[in-house]
Amino acid sequence: MTRARRLLAINNYFYRRGGAESVFLDHIELFAAAGWEVVPFAMRHPANLPSPWSDYFVSEIEYGGAGGPLTKAKQAAKIIFSLEARRNIRALIGRAPPTIAHAHNVYHHISPSIFGALKAQGVPLVMTAHDLKIACPAYKMLSQGRVCERCQGGRIHNVLLHRCVKESALVSGLVLLETLVHRSFGLYRDTIDRLVAPSRFYRDKLIEWGWDAGRIAYIPNCIDADAYSPARDEGDYIVYAGRLAPEKGLTTLVRAAALSRQRLVLAGSGPEESALRKLAQEQGAEVAFTGHLDKPELKRLIGEARALVLPSEWYENAPISVLEAYALGRPVIGTRIGGIPELVADGQTGRLVEPGNAVMLADALAALADLTPAARAALGAAGRDWVLREFSPAGYRDRTMALYEALG
């Protein structure tokens, strides 16, 4: 490319709300540092970072807010296909024609209505699959707390039949309608030039569900390990950092903590907190709940832990928390599900256990606690060396740049 390169970076939120937003904003910073002009497109939100392009952002959608049937119907239509987003993206690319567009999460707030507008203007489109929405209507291939692939082969009626979204017929019905509209108009399959899968598991799962292997690029997430320093002192606890949600396997973890008599710290908030507090009391487990922590405090908590534990029982993608633990020189205990086994080298950077198995997890917690601090530090150091070599920002930028060049 000889002309000035401009990246149109698209995501629902323009602030660090979660893992997908961190990847999105780090992506912007990397390409801006490489000399690209980056133009963001997102939803308006009070927490957004400042941007000279914010006038083009779409209106904020507030779920669960007040409003009558007409208001809710209009909101549902906007969730499925946002005419406002399509108008705004047309105006934006008219003002600042992009070399390439890269979308992250657009569901419900921006909607894929923008993709046809990009296609019509000949803008190459890349999308990162942070979840499995483009295959599974309910995002997670999870139903009633268990892994579910009933919708494979186009049998998407199952999302309503089994009330897969919030166990609600109304919400699941809306998601079914959304999926029918999107698939009927080819809003993903006919417009996206390349999908980026941050894990090999997601790449293979999307291919299994019918996506063309030639349109999917495996590009792992990255972390700037140089911005993290291993702590000098080690505490006497294992830490979990993330949302307190059913699919995260935290009931199994609390039971394992009780069986192994290990001190556990749960950093985060979510709908399962009250149930987990009750379970910990019933099981006699020593569990501390910190609630949401700011980044510096979270880094300190993970950096001084004996290990990070990720007991998920759903198809995790490529959790940034694992890379952060390694960057801080801490080993990781994870489950053999989704993309987690790609990030935990059993016996070298941590331990792998079967999901949902409290006894096996308890054994792993106890075995790690029985190691000397030096032995745990050696596992963490191996993880840190791994992220420095294989998950560096430069590596992510170069792989993504090569993908863009191939489409340009």
Side-chain angles (χ1 to χ4, degrees):
M1 299 180 186
T2 55
R3 62 189 176 93
R5 298 174 296 180
R6 181 180 290 129
L7 169 65
L8 176 59
I10 305 165
N11 191 63
N12 285 329
Y13 297 96
F14 194 52
Y15 67 97
R16 290 187 185 272
R17 184 171 181 267
E21 284 72 38
S22 291
V23 172
F24 166 66
L25 292 172
D26 289 347
H27 185 132
I28 286 175
E29 290 176 4
L30 282 170
F31 276 79
W36 286 56
E37 180 184 0
V38 181
V39 176
F41 184 73
M43 180 183 71
R44 293 171 193 153
H45 192 278
N48 276 352
L49 298 171
S51 169
W53 303 101
S54 60
D55 286 347
Y56 293 92
F57 290 6
V58 299
S59 303
E60 182 180 2
I61 295 178
E62 295 182 15
Y63 292 111
L70 181 59
T71 298
K72 292 186 182 297
K74 287 180 178 178
Q75 185 180 82
K78 189 173 182 179
I79 287 169
I80 293 170
F81 191 93
S82 174
L83 294 173
E84 179 196 12
R86 188 172 64 171
R87 285 195 305 271
N88 290 10
I89 201 81
R90 283 173 173 167
L92 180 57
I93 61 181
R95 169 82 182 279
T99 305
I100 199 153
H102 193 137
H104 292 262
N105 284 348
V106 301
Y107 323 119
H108 300 337
H109 299 288
I110 294 175
S111 87
S113 65
I114 63 172
F115 292 167
L118 293 166
K119 190 77 172 178
Q121 293 299 317
V123 179
L125 175 61
V126 175
M127 179 175 171
T128 294
H130 291 284
D131 53 40
L132 292 162
K133 174 66 172 175
I134 54 175
C136 165
Y139 300 91
K140 298 177 180 178
M141 295 191 182
L142 192 75
S143 178
Q144 309 298 321
R146 296 187 177 184
V147 169
C148 168
E149 298 194 31
R150 295 187 187 100
C151 286
Q152 188 174 1
R155 298 185 293 272
I156 59 174
H157 64 277
N158 281 294
V159 71
L160 175 57
L161 183 64
H162 297 277
R163 301 186 179 190
C164 296
V165 186
K166 299 185 177 180
E167 298 185 5
S168 164
L170 181 63
V171 179
S172 298
L174 177 61
V175 168
L176 173 59
L177 177 60
E178 171 196 51
T179 306
L180 285 169
V181 170
H182 292 174
R183 294 191 179 185
S184 296
F185 288 96
L187 296 185
Y188 292 109
R189 287 187 183 273
D190 296 345
T191 58
I192 297 171
D193 294 292
R194 291 293 186 277
L195 279 169
V196 170
S199 66
R200 295 182 181 90
F201 177 86
Y202 267 40
R203 177 197 62 194
D204 295 345
K205 185 60 65 179
L206 290 171
I207 293 170
E208 186 182 324
W209 276 58
W211 279 84
D212 178 9
R215 292 171 64 191
I216 305 177
Y218 163 63
I219 301 178
N221 291 329
C222 67
I223 189 168
D224 183 6
D226 291 331
Y228 293 73
S229 299
R232 294 181 180 179
D233 300 319
E234 182 190 66
D236 62 349
Y237 59 89
I238 306 288
V239 66
Y240 163 84
R243 183 166 164 76
L244 306 186
E247 68 271 14
K248 296 297 187 176
L250 300 176
T251 295
T252 302
L253 177 58
V254 169
R255 294 183 187 279
L259 288 170
S260 62
R261 299 187 179 279
Q262 296 300 312
R263 185 171 172 236
L264 174 66
V265 177
L266 300 181
S269 59
E272 289 292 286
E273 183 170 343
S274 59
L276 292 170
R277 285 182 181 274
K278 182 180 178 182
L279 179 64
Q281 187 174 23
E282 292 171 350
Q283 296 286 314
E286 188 179 357
V287 183
F289 293 80
T290 71
H292 173 77
L293 295 176
D294 291 334
K295 195 69 172 181
E297 184 62 18
L298 184 61
K299 286 170 72 171
R300 185 201 62 77
L301 184 71
I302 296 173
E304 294 179 3
R306 284 175 171 165
L308 176 84
V309 60
L310 192 64
S312 292
E313 296 173 9
W314 75 291
Y315 290 154
E316 288 274 8
N317 190 357
I320 295 290
S321 61
V322 175
L323 303 184
E324 289 175 334
Y326 289 154
L328 290 164
R330 294 292 84 198
V332 176
I333 299 172
T335 43
R336 296 183 187 273
I337 193 167
I340 295 174
E342 299 173 30
L343 299 178
V344 181
D346 196 25
Q348 299 175 48
T349 65
R351 291 286 299 273
L352 284 169
V353 300
E354 296 305 315
N357 190 324
V359 173
M360 191 176 184
L361 180 54
D363 289 344
L365 295 176
L368 203 77
D370 286 342
L371 295 176
T372 64
R376 286 190 292 270
L379 293 172
R384 181 174 167 84
D385 180 64
W386 192 13
V387 298
L388 284 167
R389 287 183 289 106
E390 301 295 334
F391 301 95
S392 69
Y396 176 91
R397 181 201 61 217
D398 292 347
R399 292 183 183 104
T400 307
M401 193 87 75
L403 177 62
Y404 291 174
E405 295 284 357
L407 293 174

